[in-house]
Amino acid sequence: MLSVSNSELIAEIASSSYQWPRTTKPFISAIVRSGGDGEYSSIQNICAASAVEFALGVSFETDTLLILNCCVVIDGSWVMRRVNEVLVGELGGAAVAVFRDDQNIDFCPDAPAVPASQVAGLTLICTAIGHTPVDRLPPVESNEHKLFRGLRHAKTKGGHPEAPAVATPNS
């Protein structure tokens, strides 16, 4: 197994662009296994200054996320959060990454003032090895519930609902 450490961000940190703790730019550090479980797999250390840069720049189809840490400023102090899930969505027409930490809290490192709930169309990109993703989809309404809701609506509106509920096999 080969270990590779390659990141433009290492040079950026060395050149004092981060000026701790005066910057609010996130610092993302990950360890990724590339090449699968085979004899020729490698371990890579990846650093990024943007969550979306990290999420869109790593091929999770062939790479396995082992560890992901994200340092962000919270109330004026640097806090390191261990990330288990990386999601990508859209905010104001731009791609945005949302991280889910080990406490199952969603946060957006690139826009810390924006609640993660405002990011539309979240798609799970990857999970850390050994982590089971949290299912946060809204519950699907059953046909029985739709029928009950339609009957209740008909009863409260005098028996003439504007859009009666019809139970079909595909709805």
Side-chain angles (χ1 to χ4, degrees):
M1 185 172 298
L2 175 68
S3 179
V4 178
S5 181
N6 183 8
S7 176
E8 296 174 7
L9 193 61
I10 294 172
E12 190 176 334
I13 293 168
S15 66
S16 301
S17 66
Y18 270 77
Q19 299 178 5
W20 301 80
R22 289 185 286 186
T23 183
T24 58
K25 184 187 277 190
F27 177 75
I28 299 155
S29 173
I31 299 175
V32 176
R33 182 177 61 211
S34 298
D37 295 330
E39 181 179 347
Y40 299 104
S41 65
S42 64
I43 301 293
Q44 294 184 349
N45 294 323
I46 300 171
C47 296
S50 163
V52 74
E53 170 191 331
F54 172 79
L56 300 177
V58 177
S59 172
F60 294 109
E61 294 172 357
T62 58
D63 298 340
T64 303
L65 179 63
L66 302 176
I67 297 172
L68 175 60
N69 292 314
C70 180
C71 294
V72 292
V73 175
I74 298 176
D75 296 329
S77 300
W78 283 96
V79 176
M80 184 167 75
R81 299 168 87 167
R82 186 175 178 119
V83 177
N84 288 330
E85 297 179 33
V86 178
L87 304 101
V88 173
E90 185 178 342
L91 181 65
V96 176
V98 172
F99 288 171
R100 189 167 290 155
D101 68 9
D102 57 355
Q103 303 295 315
N104 287 326
I105 298 171
D106 295 342
F107 66 102
C108 189
D110 296 331
V114 175
S117 60
Q118 291 184 359
V119 179
L122 284 176
T123 302
L124 182 65
I125 299 294
C126 73
T127 60
I129 194 165
H131 173 74
T132 304
V134 175
D135 183 18
R136 297 204 176 177
L137 294 174
V140 177
E141 186 177 36
S142 68
N143 289 337
E144 293 80 12
H145 187 263
K146 289 178 187 177
L147 182 60
F148 172 75
R149 187 170 41 84
L151 292 171
R152 185 180 64 200
H153 179 73
K155 184 178 179 182
T156 59
K157 295 290 184 182
H160 301 292
E162 294 84 22
V166 177
T168 62
N170 294 329
S171 61

